[in-house]
Amino acid sequence: MGRLLLGPLLDVAATFGGMWQALRRGDRPAIAMWLLHGTLLALLFFWMARQGFSPLWYLLAVSYPALALTKVRSFYEHRAADDPLARSVNNEAAWPWRMLFLNLNYHSVHHDLPGVPWYGLRRLYLRDREHYYQRNHGFRVAGYRVWLRQFWVRPVGVNVHPGRSAEKTHE
């Protein structure tokens, strides 16, 4: 729940933090990118206001929920595992979620074959489903509803990667 409600706010804060870091460092290409982004955003908001559509409403009713949806798709798509092939999940989501996320719920297929267009991921996954199950060491979930029930109020346990020592994680 916190991921959906607070995650987008933390992302926005991190984005502004990155912008301020670029300004402090004097990173000209990054500053130019932020100036262009800010200018285009201001023009978009100006145009929206001229059309009678509130930019604030757009931010609260469209942008924030859209960012929250990205938190659903990216939820627990990787885990720490000795075998790199066992780190990416395949989420057998229902068709509305698959379409919304352009089949990136078949995450290990995407990592395995990054050049495959989004619409081909499901077909390849279904063809080689058992292969991916064995290869992923069983890292498969039967849809986002499973995670919703399991993690709605309880966080995912994030482990230190097996290849990193505890000392390295505190640097």
Side-chain angles (χ1 to χ4, degrees):
M1 187 167 46
R3 183 177 182 85
L4 300 179
L5 297 176
L6 298 176
L9 183 63
L10 294 174
D11 285 349
V12 169
T15 299
F16 279 109
M19 179 181 66
W20 292 120
Q21 286 177 0
L23 287 170
R24 273 200 331 261
R25 286 189 319 262
D27 183 346
R28 289 178 185 233
I31 292 168
M33 184 270 309
W34 282 112
L35 285 172
L36 177 62
H37 178 75
T39 301
L40 292 173
L41 192 60
L43 288 171
L44 174 66
F45 286 168
F46 175 76
W47 177 81
M48 288 171 68
R50 297 275 315 220
Q51 302 306 311
F53 194 82
S54 166
L56 182 61
W57 177 252
Y58 175 77
L59 289 173
L60 296 176
V62 177
S63 294
Y64 203 87
L67 274 173
L69 278 174
T70 67
K71 298 299 179 189
V72 171
R73 192 206 52 87
S74 64
F75 178 76
Y76 202 32
E77 58 189 12
H78 298 104
R79 68 175 175 182
D82 284 326
D83 183 354
L85 297 177
R87 295 178 188 160
S88 296
V89 73
N90 284 309
N91 187 326
E92 297 177 341
W95 75 265
W97 291 105
R98 292 193 316 262
M99 289 301 292
L100 180 65
F101 299 144
L102 300 177
N103 282 331
L104 282 181
N105 48 293
Y106 300 118
H107 210 66
S108 68
V109 181
H110 166 67
H111 276 280
D112 191 29
L113 303 165
V116 172
W118 69 269
Y119 50 83
L121 293 172
R122 177 173 168 77
R123 181 179 50 82
L124 290 173
Y125 173 72
L126 292 175
R127 184 188 74 193
D128 299 328
R129 184 174 186 253
E130 287 311 308
H131 163 75
Y132 278 107
Y133 185 75
Q134 291 172 0
R135 186 182 126 169
N136 287 16
H137 300 238
F139 193 27
R140 174 170 72 190
V141 66
Y144 291 100
R145 183 178 298 150
V146 171
W147 280 342
L148 179 65
R149 283 193 309 266
Q150 189 174 359
F151 299 114
W152 181 246
V153 294
R154 189 172 53 99
V156 170
V158 178
N159 299 324
V160 174
H161 189 279
R164 293 190 61 161
S165 68
E167 296 83 37
K168 289 181 182 177
T169 61
H170 295 293
E171 293 176 354

